[in-house]
Amino acid sequence: MVCAVPETLRQIIWRAINLVRSEPPLRRVSAAAALIILAWAVRAGAGPGSAFSGHDSGPGTTPSLAELIYAAGMVGAAMVSGQALARRAIASLRLRSPGIEVLVTVAAAGAVAIGEYWEAAAVTFLFDLGGYLEWKTLERTRAAIRALADWSPQTARVRRPDGSEAVIRAEEVRPGDILVVKSGDKLAADGIVLRGEAEVNEAALTGEPLPVPKGPGDTVMAGSVATRGLMEVEATRVGEETTFGRIIQLVGEAQEARSPVQTAVERFARYYTPAIMVLAAVTFFMTRDTHLALTLLVVACPGALVLAAPVSLVAGIGRAARQGVLIKGGQRLEKLARVDAVAFDKTGTLTAGRPEVVGVRVLDEPAPGAAGVAITEAELLRLAAAAEKGSEHPLAAAILERAAAELWAEALPEPRQVRVFPGRGIAAAVDGRQVLVGNTRLMEEMGLTVDASVLNSVQEEAARGRTVALVAVDGRIYGWISLADRIRKSARNLVPLLRRVGVRQTVMLTGDSAAAAAPVAAALGIDRVEAGLLPEDKVKKLRELSAQGFTVAMVGDGINDAPALSAADVSIAIGAGTDVALEAADVALITDNLERIALAIGLARAIVTNVRQNLTFAVIVVLSLVAGVLFGRVHLASGMLIHEISVLAVILNGMRLLYLPSPRSPAPLRPARKGAELRRELSM
């Protein structure tokens, strides 16, 4: 234990040395600090004297060697710290856009000219040190974005036409290549799973911590990692065209885009610096107090004011990107922060957009017709699925998927004499039996009687938002299959989350019938339902909401809802793997997790609030420092110190956005009894 302390101390010293070696700005700061310490040490060792004056000797006397070393050390420190500062000041003057650096450079040069060597060294050193600390602090913010770029895949395992495998660079992958993805591999392209199954971690793109199971037909994104399993993927988009590549590009563009507040502050700063120099000059001519004029130059630096908006925007947009939310720049972010009404498309947005079988029903007594035998639910499903093998309709795909899940050990027979009736159903011969799958219209066209009890059941299912496919075998209706578009799991708590972040109105705009839309709206607690709408009708409804004083966000899939997305104050596209969604929307969700909509709105409000806090704080600090100078309470070095502390405070306040907790629903949604019943029915 006794030897542990020196060893730990040596490790700390060695790490400090390595850090200084690796970062040129820190080398400069360290050299200036060493010169200042040396100057004070020499002066202190020379005997009593003023602790804050660089010239103890009286007029006409020769300065002592200690005083000369002290002055040289302080001037040297000012030159070491101020060299980069002066270069930036000269560059800004050449561009006719003088900034903070000009004020500090003039103040430091003036301090040296009047013999205030300590003040010159302190001002430049504190500014240089503050700049280094600002850079290090902002690095933490930029790392949120850089981590995405660092996650880029480097290699890919490709299956050659002869069946062999080869490892190539990620940029060499071409559309159509077959990628062999094993456990631990990072996908090098967007693609479609051809064979095999695996769990894929998409956290780097969507922020979802849990792996997602993938199988044949599923899409995968570049940058995701296979955590378990083996699969072959056909590359569809590569390089910068992948979802991952587009994220990197769009986040970079979003950071470059200026918000109205940021633009206004930068315009103000462009005129503020010359104005302060003129004010300092006027102060000098009125008071003949050089020290006062130089101090005014330093303390009036608008450093914190200039950084107030950018640091919050970078941190906030970076945080959103890590959660799978792309906010396209500051102007759109400010609009998003004002959103108090959200309109949703239904199909593909609130629901999965893919019908699923939710029930198989066999009649107790088959409908009248030719003689037949009893059929079980499994047999009804088997015959219907076999007939639907000849159809490409989405409902057919849902029936086949259900059959594959329940009858996995039994191969479906091939249908014969297939006849497709568009908009009505399908007929086929299966195992020598005539099978008919379709709606009541098809049954009547084929001469089958649909009695009142069956019609009532069909109408009841329709009232629940379901579609019914009647199944007839050898001329008798034996039952039906109910299908529904399931509500997304992430939509269940969406409305309470939106309420919590300040949204006052939620509306469903859909082209579906009121019977199909009402159960979904009731299950989710959505305020209003506008059903049976054409695209132009959705635009009209959005304009009506805006006319009522709402700032409206429209949520859609980015393709079918293009007119409505364009008409809204803010457009939010989900499932942003599509180019349309990434390019057109103000906000794009890489994931289909609808709760991220509340995250985006809440984060936008937090960013705008953060910017206002920073601006208010910066203005108060500048005014307080100027008042302190005029009343003789603030001096050059102390003013510079307070200025740098205020800049760091603004940066740290902005960085809080990186760790802001996501909004969570305060309580489960409690719909009315009817809505609760409908929700249970929809989840069957």
Side-chain angles (χ1 to χ4, degrees):
M1 179 65 84
V2 176
C3 297
V5 174
E7 179 63 27
T8 302
L9 182 60
R10 281 197 296 272
Q11 290 176 357
I12 293 173
I13 293 172
W14 183 248
R15 288 177 183 173
I17 292 172
N18 286 335
L19 181 63
V20 171
R21 286 176 176 174
S22 63
E23 297 181 353
L26 186 56
R27 288 204 297 268
R28 189 173 59 244
V29 170
S30 301
L35 287 171
I36 291 173
I37 293 171
L38 175 64
W40 279 114
V42 169
R43 191 164 192 229
S50 172
F52 300 99
S53 173
H55 43 286
D56 286 338
S57 305
T61 62
T62 302
S64 66
L65 179 60
E67 287 300 323
L68 291 174
I69 294 175
Y70 170 84
M74 292 298 180
V75 173
M79 293 178 66
V80 169
S81 292
Q83 56 178 313
L85 175 67
R87 284 197 297 269
R88 293 197 298 271
I90 293 171
S92 67
L93 288 173
R94 286 175 178 171
L95 294 173
R96 297 181 181 180
S97 180
I100 302 170
E101 293 84 358
V102 174
L103 298 182
V104 178
T105 301
V106 171
V112 171
I114 63 174
E116 296 287 350
Y117 306 124
W118 156 244
E119 299 281 14
V123 167
T124 53
F125 171 75
L126 288 171
F127 189 86
D128 207 21
L129 176 62
Y132 170 74
L133 294 176
E134 291 165 24
W135 174 74
K136 289 295 289 185
T137 309
L138 283 172
E139 276 296 290
R140 294 286 302 277
T141 305
R142 297 188 188 102
I145 306 303
R146 195 166 53 246
L148 288 172
D150 293 343
W151 193 254
S152 299
Q154 303 299 315
T155 60
R157 186 180 288 105
V158 178
R159 187 176 299 286
R160 299 297 190 188
D162 61 3
S164 63
E165 296 180 8
V167 177
I168 63 175
R169 291 182 300 173
E171 56 265 28
E172 295 176 354
V173 176
R174 297 292 179 264
D177 284 350
I178 306 301
L179 307 181
V180 180
V181 183
K182 300 180 179 180
S183 180
D185 286 353
K186 188 180 295 183
L187 275 87
D190 289 358
I192 300 174
V193 180
L194 298 179
R195 288 174 290 276
E197 295 181 346
E199 291 185 352
V200 176
N201 187 336
E202 299 176 339
L205 293 92
T206 67
E208 296 288 351
L210 298 178
V212 180
K214 298 288 185 178
D218 290 335
T219 58
V220 291
M221 295 183 288
S224 55
V225 179
T227 58
R228 181 164 40 183
L230 173 66
M231 59 185 178
E232 292 187 2
V233 176
E234 179 182 357
T236 55
R237 292 189 294 187
V238 300
E240 295 181 354
E241 298 303 316
T242 64
T243 302
F244 185 84
R246 298 293 296 129
I247 291 172
I248 301 298
Q249 181 180 345
L250 288 170
V251 171
E253 291 174 359
Q255 287 189 324
E256 293 298 324
R258 294 289 188 263
S259 71
V261 170
Q262 190 174 356
T263 302
V265 169
E266 290 176 353
R267 188 182 301 116
F268 168 76
R270 192 177 301 126
Y271 298 102
Y272 177 82
T273 299
I276 289 299
M277 296 185 71
V278 170
L279 178 62
V282 170
T283 301
F284 171 74
F285 285 116
M286 291 180 63
T287 63
R288 296 297 173 176
D289 189 335
T290 305
H291 189 275
L292 177 63
L294 295 176
T295 303
L296 189 61
L297 280 179
V298 170
V299 301
C301 290
L305 190 66
V306 171
L307 286 174
V311 68
S312 299
L313 290 171
V314 170
I317 290 174
R319 162 66 193 282
R322 285 165 52 191
Q323 298 294 316
V325 179
L326 298 182
I327 302 175
K328 308 286 191 66
Q331 184 172 2
R332 288 157 168 171
L333 185 143
E334 289 190 18
K335 283 186 179 180
L336 182 62
R338 297 195 299 270
V339 165
D340 54 2
V342 179
F344 303 94
D345 175 50
K346 172 183 164 286
T347 304
T349 301
L350 295 173
T351 63
R354 187 166 57 95
E356 296 180 353
V357 173
V358 294
V360 179
R361 169 78 184 277
V362 173
L363 295 174
D364 296 332
E365 293 184 6
V373 297
I375 292 180
T376 64
E377 289 184 359
E379 178 66 5
L380 187 80
L381 179 62
R382 187 183 78 87
L383 292 172
E388 293 287 10
K389 288 178 72 175
S391 173
E392 296 181 354
H393 195 278
L395 296 182
I399 293 172
L400 286 166
E401 184 177 340
R402 177 64 172 265
E406 294 195 2
L407 310 172
W408 60 272
E410 184 176 347
L412 294 176
E414 288 298 320
R416 299 181 182 278
Q417 302 173 11
V418 176
R419 288 181 295 165
V420 176
F421 302 90
R424 289 161 289 171
I426 192 168
V430 180
D431 288 342
R433 309 180 73 176
Q434 294 299 315
V435 179
L436 194 63
V437 183
N439 55 25
T440 56
R441 181 182 171 190
L442 178 62
M443 298 298 159
E444 292 170 350
E445 286 180 1
M446 301 302 290
L448 278 67
T449 301
V450 183
D451 64 17
S453 62
V454 174
L455 284 175
N456 288 336
S457 297
V458 170
Q459 291 170 0
E460 288 175 2
E461 292 292 283
R464 298 174 180 176
R466 298 178 177 182
T467 300
V468 173
L470 297 173
V471 181
V473 181
D474 292 334
R476 299 181 70 178
I477 298 175
Y478 278 88
W480 67 79
I481 298 173
S482 295
L483 302 100
D485 189 3
R486 287 190 183 274
I487 296 174
R488 292 185 188 273
K489 184 179 179 181
S490 61
R492 298 292 181 181
N493 283 327
L494 177 57
V495 172
L497 287 171
L498 290 174
R499 294 268 188 264
R500 190 162 189 180
V501 297
V503 173
R504 297 186 290 122
Q505 181 78 262
T506 53
V507 184
M508 179 192 292
L509 305 178
T510 178
D512 288 354
S513 65
V520 176
L524 299 179
I526 292 175
D527 298 324
R528 288 170 47 194
V529 178
E530 301 287 350
L533 301 179
L534 296 173
E536 55 267 31
D537 297 327
K538 292 183 180 182
V539 172
K540 182 179 178 181
K541 294 296 181 182
L542 289 170
R543 288 175 177 166
E544 288 176 0
L545 280 170
S546 296
Q548 294 170 18
F550 290 105
T551 300
V552 187
M554 175 68 195
V555 183
D557 60 15
I559 302 174
N560 300 330
D561 308 305
L565 288 170
S566 300
D569 296 306
V570 178
S571 56
I572 303 176
I574 69 166
T578 62
D579 289 331
V580 175
L582 280 169
E583 296 292 348
D586 298 320
V587 180
L589 306 187
I590 301 304
T591 175
D592 288 339
N593 185 344
L594 294 176
E595 292 182 1
R596 299 299 165 85
I597 298 170
L599 170 68
I601 295 174
L603 188 56
R605 296 193 199 285
I607 293 171
V608 170
T609 299
N610 196 276
V611 169
R612 289 172 180 165
Q613 290 172 348
N614 285 344
L615 289 173
T616 302
F617 174 74
V619 170
I620 290 174
V621 169
V622 169
L623 293 178
S624 300
L625 285 174
V626 170
V629 170
L630 296 178
F631 286 99
R633 299 295 184 181
V634 176
H635 302 284
L636 200 58
S638 58
M640 190 74 243
L641 178 62
I642 296 172
H643 171 267
E644 292 301 332
I645 290 174
S646 71
V647 170
L648 286 174
V650 163
I651 293 174
L652 291 173
N653 187 48
M655 283 187 65
R656 289 191 304 111
L657 296 169
L658 290 173
Y659 311 101
L660 193 71
S662 300
R664 298 192 179 278
S665 180
L669 183 62
R670 298 182 182 274
R673 183 177 178 183
K674 182 179 178 182
E677 292 170 355
L678 289 169
R679 186 165 65 167
R680 283 196 298 272
E681 291 167 358
L682 287 169
S683 61
M684 287 176 56

